[in-house]
Amino acid sequence: MDLTYQWLYDTVRKRFDSEQAMESFLPQVLTAEQLQHKTDDRYLSAMTLRVFQAGMQHTVVEAKWPAFEEAFSGFQPEAMVLLDDEDIQQHMQDPRIIRHLVKLQSIPKNARFILDIRQDRGSFGAFIANWPDTDTIGLWRLLGQRGARLGGRSAAGFLRLAGKDTFFLTSHVVERLVTAGIIARTPTSQRDLQTVQNTFNALQQESGRPLCQLSSMLALSIHPAF
């Protein structure tokens, strides 16, 4: 099939009682200016939240997040980068938080990542804001390589939590792309990921919509209850 935006819109619109209901359902993203003004501690908090969400019920992690914010003093990277093994072991005794050693160890590593980007680019927020949506997979790759436990779907998950536009390769999105003949299976190679990126770029150019809305629409075109 020829996966056009008009077909996608018409298919998804039928799932809702009104256009307003559809638009209200679709996710929103922050503007470039808002991303630039978001402080580094909020990016580190989002990274850590995503790391802890991986493999766990998101609602469980979110319920404990105020305790995490308190335990880690608001995730200021300048302080978090100084956490050593003894500090991490002390946090492992804190019953208020989720005590997962390897995930806790990601906090100082990701604090260092943020501070390194700040040194190279001026601010982490500017780095995120200025990264082009047309190379989302390049940002995923960088996060996976330089961040701690931000590979795979965690890269997109972190960006969504931070408010940066990104598409998602959920099972329903992949199913729609496979059904459309764009890819043959869940993309893992850079070649297949680039093919997916090119498809999203074309849909975005047609529609002017954020990538996250397009991926939601692709999922809805397969699964009405998404």
Side-chain angles (χ1 to χ4, degrees):
M1 62 171 288
D2 186 14
L3 183 56
T4 66
Y5 174 70
Q6 189 60 58
W7 175 88
L8 182 61
Y9 174 87
D10 291 342
T11 301
V12 174
R13 173 63 184 82
K14 295 174 185 176
R15 312 295 196 199
F16 295 88
D17 293 334
S18 66
E19 185 171 0
Q20 182 180 4
M22 183 187 78
E23 296 297 342
S24 297
F25 178 87
L26 295 175
Q28 301 296 322
V29 295
L30 298 182
T31 66
E33 183 177 6
Q34 289 171 323
L35 289 168
Q36 287 181 8
H37 285 91
K38 185 189 289 283
T39 54
D40 290 346
D41 59 288
R42 294 304 85 205
Y43 283 109
L44 183 56
S45 177
M47 282 183 187
T48 310
L49 175 57
R50 175 54 204 168
V51 166
F52 275 87
Q53 284 178 339
M56 297 193 67
Q57 287 286 341
H58 291 193
T59 53
V60 172
V61 182
E62 289 163 3
K64 287 184 173 288
W65 209 246
F68 269 87
E69 290 282 354
E70 182 178 354
F72 292 98
S73 303
F75 291 101
Q76 292 292 336
E78 296 86 350
M80 295 300 97
V81 77
L82 299 176
L83 292 176
D84 58 20
D85 291 343
E86 183 177 348
D87 296 323
I88 296 296
Q89 287 299 329
Q90 288 180 353
H91 284 297
M92 284 290 291
Q93 309 308 313
D94 188 343
R96 300 173 300 163
I97 66 172
I98 299 167
R99 291 170 286 182
H100 188 297
L101 179 60
V102 176
K103 291 183 178 183
L104 288 172
Q105 289 170 335
S106 74
I107 298 174
K109 295 175 183 177
N110 282 327
R112 170 50 57 196
F113 169 44
I114 287 174
L115 293 175
D116 287 346
I117 292 291
R118 181 199 294 178
Q119 185 174 2
D120 293 342
R121 306 294 182 94
S123 80
F124 193 83
F127 161 73
I128 291 293
N130 293 330
W131 194 282
D133 295 343
T134 52
D135 185 32
T136 294
I137 62 169
L139 183 52
W140 289 359
R141 185 164 57 249
L142 184 145
L143 289 167
Q145 291 172 346
R146 297 186 60 178
R149 303 186 70 83
L150 293 176
R153 292 174 65 172
S154 287
F158 155 65
L159 293 174
R160 183 70 190 97
L161 288 170
K164 169 71 173 177
D165 194 17
T166 184
F167 55 86
F168 295 88
L169 292 178
T170 64
S171 59
H172 294 134
V173 172
V174 170
E175 184 179 353
R176 170 52 65 203
L177 295 175
V178 169
T179 302
I182 294 166
I183 51 177
R185 62 188 68 84
T186 300
T188 55
S189 69
Q190 286 303 307
R191 179 179 179 179
D192 284 349
L193 285 169
Q194 188 61 58
T195 297
V196 172
Q197 178 78 69
N198 293 343
T199 299
F200 273 95
N201 291 349
L203 289 171
Q204 187 175 55
Q205 188 171 13
E206 283 186 71
S207 66
R209 286 187 179 273
L211 299 172
C212 63
Q213 292 188 359
L214 293 168
S215 61
S216 291
M217 294 174 76
L218 287 169
L220 283 164
S221 72
I222 285 285
H223 196 300
F226 164 72

